[in-house]
Amino acid sequence: MALYMRYSYDGDNWSDKLVYFETYEKEKYDMVSPAIIRDDGAYKVWYVCHYQLYYRELRNGVWSQPQPTDLTFEDGAYVWHPDVIKTNRGYELLACATTNKKDRKHMNLYFSASEDGFNWETAMKVASPSDDYTAWDGGGLYRPSFIYANNHYIVMYSARNDYNDFGIGLLVGRNMFNLHGTDLDYLYNGQADVSRLWDYLNNDL
């Protein structure tokens, strides 16, 4: 199992591929869906291994040992794909999680926060599939990504239904427990106009 990275100073021209992490002991050191931030002179990485949230950091070219965190969920769900950001609260996490390890197609999104990145508040559900099971996000929600800007949380999430429709949606809210849709979804079949998304982000927040 390997993670690779490229870097850029302008967002346009990128370096060659660099080995970020590599192991031949995947069962022990797997890093599913790593959430990576640059903080305090180190790359801090939260990731999933065997349905548990772990932490490692890369500082001065040396990896720390894997450390499990205490993340738990209000309904006993199992973490699958997390994203982590740093805010004035400390660290905040948004993740998709499943209540059935055999079913990762029907998941919800959960939010948690931590002062130190190890001791997490109980993760609470903040988004679920659409009530309309035929909608593109009517089956399950998948890997989210989020930022905090202009006093708003901006969440992008991927999702699917049980009819092989897939897409990416946008949620916005001043509070993670009061997110609202924007009708600016992007579907794989090109139904949505992506330029509207950027107009919304640039002008309406």
Side-chain angles (χ1 to χ4, degrees):
M1 190 281 294
L3 301 179
Y4 300 103
M5 68 175 290
R6 298 177 188 268
Y7 64 87
S8 171
Y9 294 104
D10 58 11
D12 185 30
N13 300 288
W14 291 84
S15 72
D16 292 333
K17 181 176 67 176
L18 304 174
V19 178
Y20 185 74
F21 178 81
E22 188 173 28
T23 180
Y24 289 94
E25 297 182 77
K26 184 175 182 292
E27 185 67 20
K28 184 176 180 180
Y29 294 115
D30 200 8
M31 290 191 189
V32 175
S33 190
I36 305 169
I37 64 173
R38 178 74 173 172
D39 180 40
D40 188 31
Y43 288 102
K44 298 184 176 182
V45 185
W46 291 264
Y47 63 94
V48 173
C49 187
H50 302 296
Y51 292 99
Q52 184 171 2
L53 185 72
Y54 277 80
Y55 173 83
R56 297 185 80 167
E57 66 178 48
L58 179 64
R59 187 182 295 272
N60 298 323
V62 178
W63 279 99
S64 66
Q65 289 298 308
Q67 295 178 267
T69 75
D70 70 350
L71 179 67
T72 59
F73 291 77
E74 61 172 329
D75 54 4
Y78 304 95
V79 64
W80 188 235
H81 289 336
D83 191 23
V84 176
I85 62 174
K86 187 175 183 181
T87 68
N88 57 10
R89 293 186 60 184
Y91 301 97
E92 300 186 35
L93 173 145
L94 185 64
C96 64
T98 179
T99 56
N100 180 355
K101 290 182 179 180
K102 295 181 179 180
D103 180 9
R104 296 197 298 267
K105 294 182 178 179
H106 303 92
M107 294 188 284
N108 302 302
L109 301 186
Y110 300 79
F111 173 79
S112 181
S114 169
E115 292 184 359
D116 58 11
F118 293 96
N119 301 291
W120 293 90
E121 299 172 357
T122 299
M124 308 295 286
K125 190 185 304 182
V126 295
S128 300
S130 169
D131 291 335
D132 178 3
Y133 67 91
T134 65
W136 67 271
D137 59 352
L141 309 187
Y142 212 68
R143 212 283 193 189
S145 182
F146 73 127
I147 62 173
Y148 184 73
N150 298 328
N151 299 314
H152 284 77
Y153 289 97
I154 302 171
V155 176
M156 284 188 171
Y157 67 98
S158 54
R160 65 183 302 279
N161 62 22
D162 293 329
Y163 303 95
N164 292 320
D165 295 318
F166 300 83
I168 297 174
L170 178 71
L171 300 171
V172 176
R174 292 184 179 274
N175 185 307
M176 282 299 294
F177 296 96
N178 190 27
L179 298 172
H180 62 86
T182 61
D183 295 325
L184 293 178
D185 307 320
Y186 179 76
L187 306 187
Y188 75 97
N189 58 13
Q191 284 182 228
D193 183 352
V194 178
S195 64
R196 290 178 57 224
L197 168 62
W198 293 110
D199 288 343
Y200 182 89
L201 293 177
N202 290 330
N203 300 318
D204 290 355
L205 291 184

